[in-house]
């Protein structure tokens, strides 16, 4: 295995380094979240998820869940929030699927295709594509869902 001098010549040697949006300080033996990322999450909570909010879309909840999930990797106590978020998202996805199955012919066709039996490699590709289409439709549906009491 060869190392490239060009790759490493521009790197600074320091006890503090930010990698994958985590600040690692080897002197303090500390891992933290950079202030810019924390400010992004705060802004998202303040502007999108304010306390008066009553409804959400699955996509909005998934974005927040991803951000909080990232923070939970550093602050384990946050994991308790994720279970409530996951249950709210699962409930909303179920409602989205039911609504789309009743109202959208394209969704019904994609759902039927996604559940079809696979015989050849071509069938596998078509079924996988249909499954992707169904999942995207459910996640991107503009349907508003009520915020469950456990998420407040």
């Amino acid at each position: 295995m060869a190392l490239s001098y060009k790759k490493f010549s521009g790197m600074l040697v320091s006890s503090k380094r930010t990698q994958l949006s985590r600040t690692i300080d080897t002197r303090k033996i500390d891992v933290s979240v950079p202030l810019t990322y924390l400010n992004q999450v705060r802004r998202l909570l303040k502007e999108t998820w304010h306390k008066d909010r009553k409804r959400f879309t699955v996509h909005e909840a998934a974005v927040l869940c991803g951000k909080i999930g990232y923070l939970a990797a550093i602050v384990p106590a946050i994991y308790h929030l994720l279970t409530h978020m996951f249950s709210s998202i699962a409930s909303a996805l179920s409602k989205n699927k039911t609504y789309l199955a009743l109202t959208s012919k394209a969704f019904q066709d994609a759902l039927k295709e996604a559940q079809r039996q696979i015989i050849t490699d071509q069938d596998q590709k078509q079924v996988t594509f249909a499954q992707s289409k169904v999942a995207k439709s459910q996640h991107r549906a503009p349907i508003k869902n009520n915020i469950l009491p456990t998420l407040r």
Side-chain angles (χ1 to χ4, degrees):
M1 186 167 129
L3 295 175
S4 170
Y5 176 73
K6 288 180 183 178
K7 235 185 217 181
F8 294 103
S9 64
M11 294 178 75
L12 295 174
V13 177
S14 172
S15 63
K16 199 172 190 179
R17 171 172 215 93
T18 299
Q19 252 179 321
L20 299 172
S21 294
R22 291 184 176 115
T23 302
I24 303 164
D25 191 335
T26 55
R27 284 197 185 131
K28 292 182 183 176
I29 308 175
D30 185 43
V31 178
S32 61
V33 179
L35 218 46
T36 54
Y37 189 83
L38 280 175
N39 289 336
Q40 276 182 344
V41 176
R42 285 182 186 132
R43 189 173 50 251
L44 181 67
L45 287 169
K46 186 178 179 183
E47 293 172 4
T48 308
W49 291 91
H50 49 83
K51 66 179 183 173
D52 297 328
R53 186 172 183 153
K54 304 276 190 247
R55 301 172 67 100
F56 69 95
T57 64
V58 170
H59 180 68
E60 292 168 336
V63 168
L64 179 65
C65 197
K67 298 253 184 219
I68 290 180
Y70 183 81
L71 291 174
I74 295 172
V75 185
I78 296 176
Y79 274 116
H80 300 293
L81 284 174
L82 289 176
T83 57
H84 297 295
M85 293 180 76
F86 290 150
S87 65
S88 292
I89 291 172
S91 172
L93 281 170
S94 174
K95 289 177 186 174
N96 286 0
K97 182 178 180 180
T98 302
Y99 177 79
L100 289 169
L102 292 173
T103 60
S104 172
K105 178 72 172 133
F107 185 80
Q108 292 168 2
D109 293 342
L111 195 56
K112 197 177 291 182
E113 179 72 20
Q115 295 169 343
R116 174 166 77 91
Q117 188 173 5
I118 300 167
I119 297 170
T120 65
D121 285 342
Q122 186 62 28
D123 288 345
Q124 177 67 48
K125 289 177 185 176
Q126 290 173 344
V127 167
T128 303
F129 180 75
Q131 289 171 342
S132 169
K133 205 171 173 183
V134 166
K136 284 178 185 175
S137 297
Q138 282 180 268
H139 280 270
R140 293 289 183 164
I143 301 159
K144 297 278 186 179
N145 297 281
N146 292 330
I147 295 176
L148 300 176
T150 57
L151 196 58
R152 291 207 174 270

